[in-house]
Amino acid sequence: MRVDIVSIFPEYFAPLDLSLVGRARANGTLRLVVHDLRTWTHDVHRTVDDTPYGGGPGMVMRPEPWGAALDALAPPEAPPPRLLVPSPAGVPFTQALAHELAAEPRLLFACGRYEGIDQRVLDHAATRMPVTEVSLGDYVLFGGEVAVLVILEAMTRLLPGVLGNAGSLDDESHAHGLLEAPMYTKPATWRDLEVPAVLRSGDHGRIARWRRDEALARTGRRRPDMLAAIDPGSLDKRDVTA
Ligand code: ADE
């Protein structure tokens, strides 16, 4: 997969050389290039922002550098990438969207700062490529950079060959609309706290049932919204959801 990122803070993306994302880059699974938006400015101050029309606090990113950046990275004659714009006003980022992105051949991330990017940039881009404004959650960050780190990490681990044990994708939180059951490792007793006996029983049927019950109970306590949204057809008759 090919990913381009445009930002006024390219240094934010140094962690993408580390850990499993770094390995995916090193072995070519993920071809990632970070671009400095100011490359596409032409004044001595390399200006990227200005005051908002209509008034109000803060600054808005001017359209010219963004237009030039998108023309360069998504030229009209080439197959278009999917453009992702992190914004607190976007659609929620979910595991389902991470799967969708992992299946795309090319992504282009545009990191806004300040009060965001002039809307015409997104409206114009939408005439040439799919555009998705995406939000990490109901809070406001300084800019899109941290959101891109999160989105890329969630997506990269879904790329074929990135995780050693693909089974781990099947059991994890959000894989089936439930939170994952608690996990334990050795030693069996630590500070007088015991690992639940069922997990040491070797009885795989009982273990699977226990994990499913814990996942349902935890999801009901912490995320009743997820439990309410679960497809009734995915429940088995021993599931307790009340
Ligand atoms: N930029 C600022 N706040 C954001 C958020 N919550 N999600 C994604 N991008 C953002």
Side-chain angles (χ1 to χ4, degrees), residues 7-9 37-38 45-52 57-62 66 86-88 111-118 140-145:
S7 161
I8 57 167
F9 293 119
L37 177 68
R38 293 190 204 275
H45 301 295
R46 311 183 84 195
T47 310
V48 293
D49 61 341
D50 214 322
T51 52
M59 302 289 268
V60 177
M61 293 189 106
R62 292 176 62 104
W66 279 111
S87 158
C111 297
R113 282 260 142 187
Y114 320 113
E115 299 303 310
I117 302 172
D118 186 303
V140 181
L141 305 169
F142 280 134
E145 285 76 6

Side-chain angles (χ1 to χ4, degrees), residues 70 83 119-132:
L70 298 186
L83 179 64
Q119 183 61 38
R120 291 168 294 178
V121 173
L122 310 195
D123 294 346
H124 185 264
T127 66
R128 296 190 185 170
M129 65 194 99
V131 179
T132 310

Side-chain angles (χ1 to χ4, degrees), residues 86-88 134-137 139-141 143-144 147:
S87 158
V134 54
S135 169
L136 284 199
Y139 43 80
V140 181
L141 305 169

